[in-house]
């Protein structure tokens, strides 16, 4: 009887482990399908528009709240300045807090901010946002209070890249209520940054061609007159 009881317990444990493995495999497959659908949607958006900032606004709208609680997109201008062009959060209150923080304490002006490091190095960052991290970023006590009020616990920052150039960066943040970003999430965000960077550069080239064509047409009309 004791042997039979032990055997049955072992069989039950093995069945439980098999079920856990099956569920894990199913969940991984579902996540893979969701990511594939998400990247397909992003690619469609990026290919459909030649207005980079409008495209980025739509991309940010897809990322929040499906992937992150808030998203900030910064572009590196030809002058070398970094400008925030999109900031979206999943609630109006959080978005208002985020925009106040960005307006009062521009991140690109802070050499200690991870955004500056990502744009300078072209390397992505996956950050567990502890209070020590917030203290290292904060410019003063008021800024620290604003950062804490954003409530983010996990962040990824990835460069927007094309042909070896860094054109800006995308910042995604999640609160303590959500699962922290993983290495898989970081890889997905890096691919997003690459595709968005190519789309931005293509839009810039198109705009330059249009400008050159307009100037040539104007010059031709002037000669004809």
């Amino acid at each position: 009887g004791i042997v039979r009881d032990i055997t049955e317990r072992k069989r039950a444990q093995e069945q439980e482990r098999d079920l856990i493995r099956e569920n894990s495999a199913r969940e991984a497959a579902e996540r893979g399908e969701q990511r594939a659908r998400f990247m397909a949607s992003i690619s469609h958006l990026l290919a459909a528009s030649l207005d980079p900032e409008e495209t980025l606004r739509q991309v940010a709208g897809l990322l929040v709240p499906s992937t992150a609680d808030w998203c900030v997109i910064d572009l590196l201008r030809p002058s070398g300045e970094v400008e925030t062009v999109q900031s979206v959060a999943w609630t109006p209150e959080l978005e208002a807090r985020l925009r106040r923080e960005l307006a009062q304490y521009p991140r690109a002006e802070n050499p200690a901010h991870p955004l500056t490091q990502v744009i300078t190095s072209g390397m992505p960052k996956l950050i567990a946002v502890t209070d020590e991290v917030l203290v290292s970023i904060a410019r003063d006590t008021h800024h620290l209070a604003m950062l804490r009020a954003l409530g983010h616990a996990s962040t990824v920052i990835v460069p927007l890249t094309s042909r070896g150039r860094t054109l800006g960066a995308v910042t995604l943040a999640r609160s303590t209520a959500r699962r922290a970003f993983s290495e898989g999430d970081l890889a997905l965000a890096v691919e997003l940054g690459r595709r968005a960077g190519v789309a931005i550069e293509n839009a810039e080239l198109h705009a330059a061609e249009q400008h050159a064509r307009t100037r040539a047409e104007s010059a031709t009309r002037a000669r004809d007159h």
Side-chain angles (χ1 to χ4, degrees), residues 26-196:
R26 189 181 304 112
E27 289 172 2
E30 289 173 355
R31 285 196 299 270
E33 290 175 4
Q34 290 171 355
R35 289 178 175 182
R37 287 195 298 269
F38 176 74
M39 288 309 299
S41 300
I42 292 290
S43 297
H44 176 73
L45 273 181
L46 295 173
S49 174
L50 288 172
D51 181 342
E53 293 189 18
E54 171 60 20
T55 301
L56 292 176
R57 185 190 69 77
Q58 295 183 46
V59 167
L62 274 180
L63 293 168
V64 176
S66 64
T67 301
D69 290 325
W70 54 260
C71 169
V72 178
I73 301 178
D74 298 274
L75 291 182
L76 181 61
R77 299 304 188 186
S79 63
E81 295 181 357
V82 177
E83 180 184 357
T84 298
V85 295
Q86 297 296 333
S87 55
V88 179
W90 76 285
T91 66
E93 295 79 11
L94 182 58
E95 189 165 312
R97 286 194 209 114
L98 177 62
R99 292 187 175 183
R100 280 196 298 270
E101 190 268 328
L102 294 170
Q104 294 183 33
Y105 298 94
R107 301 185 300 164
E109 295 178 5
N110 183 2
H113 200 286
L115 171 71
T116 306
Q117 299 165 18
V118 168
I119 289 180
T120 300
S121 68
M123 300 298 294
K125 281 186 175 291
L126 172 59
I127 305 165
V129 185
T130 62
D131 200 61
E132 289 77 9
V133 170
L134 297 182
V135 169
S136 71
I137 294 171
R139 311 274 280 280
D140 53 43
T141 55
H142 180 248
H143 188 203
L144 180 59
M146 296 180 82
L147 290 171
R148 285 170 173 162
L150 292 176
H152 55 305
S154 181
T155 299
V156 294
I157 307 177
V158 298
L160 295 165
T161 58
S162 180
R163 298 180 177 90
R165 277 204 308 146
T166 298
L167 308 177
V170 178
T171 302
L172 302 173
R174 285 179 179 171
S175 69
T176 52
R178 298 181 68 166
R179 174 183 62 82
F181 286 113
S182 66
E183 290 291 340
D185 296 319
L186 179 64
L188 184 69
V190 168
E191 178 61 17
L192 165 66
R194 186 191 66 78
R195 297 189 190 193

